Amino acid sequence: MIQFKVVNHALTVGQIEILGVSSASMFQIGDTDYVTLNSMFDTPPESVIVGPMAPLPLPGGGQEEGPANAE
Amino acid sequence: MQNKLYPDDTHPIRTARIGAVCLIDVSSSGTVQFGDRGETNAKLRAIALQRQEDHTTAGDVFYESYRIFDRDLPELVDPEYADGQGVHIERVNADPFITVGYIHVTATGAASSLLCGNCMRVNSESRIMHIRQYPRPRPIPGAFC
């Protein structure tokens, strides 16, 4: 077993500027034991649908993308 | 010469000491906390839909129609950890404070976390389906049609 020993000495920061903390992400000043972050973002080229406006799929269809008449 | 900070003068936890925080926007279900927290379980599922159609005629959108929302999360394959041979971490805090003078945050997204303090466990998950749907543009007629 790997023994990992950390000695935290003085930590002083003057200023932090953040433009954005995105979805399901975190910004922390402090200590933590476990961090698990998962993110899925699905926008394949097929998700751009240019054609006749069709209704979006109903539940149970199991379609991965939008309507079947995508071009 | 013995170091007087270690191991005699250690601290079980560190305290965040912050001068000022300027936070402009916290989006839906985002959290801002000053203090310690035991466990975080943040979850976001969203359908980002751009349609050139009126809401009254566009119909409903269902999460169940897209597999991204019930797809299993990837598992970490670590045979050594499974055998109980993981990494044992020992932390020693020689200084009782984490000091930050000023924090400026413009925006935090949905289901995000801004924490000034300690936390034991963070589990965060976001699933976003992005769809864009536009009608076909009408062809422009020629000059002598």
Side-chain angles (χ1 to χ4, degrees):
Chain A
M1 178 181 288
I2 298 174
Q3 302 287 336
F4 184 50
K5 187 169 187 175
V6 180
V7 180
N8 293 316
H9 288 279
L11 175 58
T12 303
V13 178
Q15 181 173 341
I16 299 173
E17 288 195 37
I18 296 175
L19 183 62
V21 182
S22 63
S23 301
S25 58
M26 63 179 290
F27 169 67
Q28 181 176 8
I29 309 254
D31 296 318
T32 189
D33 291 332
Y34 298 93
V35 175
T36 305
L37 302 175
N38 291 288
S39 181
M40 298 184 191
F41 191 93
D42 190 359
T43 172
E46 295 81 17
S47 69
V48 181
I49 299 164
V50 179
M53 298 299 283
L56 291 160
L58 294 171
Q63 293 186 41
E64 186 70 20
E65 265 69 56
N69 62 349
E71 296 180 14
Chain B
M1 179 179 175
Q2 185 181 6
N3 187 350
K4 67 177 184 178
L5 290 176
Y6 175 73
D8 298 330
D9 190 11
T10 60
H11 308 273
I13 61 169
R14 292 195 291 179
T15 303
R17 200 163 54 174
I18 299 168
V21 176
C22 177
L23 178 61
I24 294 176
D25 175 57
V26 179
S27 296
S28 52
S29 295
T31 58
V32 178
Q33 182 174 352
F34 297 93
D36 297 338
R37 181 193 296 171
E39 186 170 342
T40 303
N41 287 303
K43 190 173 181 181
L44 162 74
R45 58 175 191 169
I47 298 176
L49 183 61
Q50 290 177 278
R51 290 186 97 197
Q52 194 168 334
E53 191 169 9
D54 196 272
H55 282 293
T56 56
T57 59
D60 291 328
V61 185
F62 301 95
Y63 290 113
E64 293 81 0
S65 302
Y66 305 99
R67 279 185 214 143
I68 185 176
F69 297 110
D70 53 17
R71 184 180 297 162
D72 292 334
L73 292 173
E75 292 186 10
L76 179 65
V77 179
D78 191 350
E80 293 185 354
Y81 180 78
D83 295 338
Q85 299 294 315
V87 181
H88 179 264
I89 301 176
E90 179 186 355
R91 286 189 303 198
V92 177
N93 298 319
D95 192 290
F97 296 110
I98 300 173
T99 306
V100 180
Y102 173 62
I103 301 171
H104 180 93
V105 180
T106 302
T108 64
S112 63
S113 168
L114 195 154
L115 176 63
C116 301
N118 300 314
C119 183
M120 296 172 68
R121 186 181 289 270
V122 177
N123 294 310
S124 191
E125 178 187 332
S126 79
R127 297 170 187 244
I128 300 173
M129 184 71 193
H130 188 204
I131 300 170
R132 291 153 288 172
Q133 188 174 20
Y134 310 103
R136 185 194 301 277
R138 293 182 179 176
I140 300 172
F144 302 102
C145 290

